[in-house]
Amino acid sequence: MGRPEQFKEGRTLHFVTGGAYNGKTKWVKQLYGLENDVLWLSGYRKEQPKLIDFQGKTVVLQGLDAWIQQDAEKMDSDSIRKRWKEIMADWRIWEKERDEHNCIVIGSDISKGIVPMEARDRRWRDACGWVFQDVASISRRVDIIWYGINQRIK
């Protein structure tokens, strides 16, 4: 499956969220036809999300929620938010270097359900909400995936 016409122009920071195990990764792979020239960095594998010298076309930052959870172990919410604004600013610069560069950010929505009792877990949940809002605000496109089906909200 080739890339849809609207994605060929590059510079399309794309934020994808939705429930855990709801098909976000599969949907992104299908939408973009991702096979080669892709750098996958994962918070679930505890890889660093920071900018590296990557000469390919597409970067996927998968597990935004997991990176924020790691940050919540040692940082306050304001520091987490500042850190992620800096990380995303670096990837936006990379994205603008070449027309074919694309950065896709995937994060699981953890905002549903009961408010956690532990302060650290509340900090994680709150920071996810704020960082997700920040990423959505700078993204050209935002999709929510539930049960493998997308809903484009931006």
Side-chain angles (χ1 to χ4, degrees), residues 3 7-13 32 56-60 94-95 98-104:
R3 293 171 73 184
F7 295 111
K8 289 186 179 178
E9 63 192 72
R11 293 184 232 162
T12 60
L13 184 64
Y32 285 92
K57 295 180 180 179
T58 304
V59 171
V60 179
W94 173 84
E95 199 174 36
R98 294 194 356 223
D99 286 343
E100 63 270 9
H101 281 180
N102 288 298
C103 184
I104 304 159

Side-chain angles (χ1 to χ4, degrees), residues 3-15 32 56-59 88-105 135-142 152 154:
R3 293 171 73 184
E5 192 63 36
Q6 71 255 35
F7 295 111
K8 289 186 179 178
E9 63 192 72
R11 293 184 232 162
T12 60
L13 184 64
H14 187 174
F15 180 46
Y32 285 92
K57 295 180 180 179
T58 304
V59 171
M88 294 312 305
D90 287 344
W91 282 113
R92 293 282 292 159
I93 291 167
W94 173 84
E95 199 174 36
K96 291 178 181 181
E97 286 175 354
R98 294 194 356 223
D99 286 343
E100 63 270 9
H101 281 180
N102 288 298
C103 184
I104 304 159
V105 180
V135 173
S137 74
I138 64 170
S139 295
R140 178 182 247 174
R141 179 171 178 170
V142 178
R152 184 173 180 175
K154 180 179 178 184

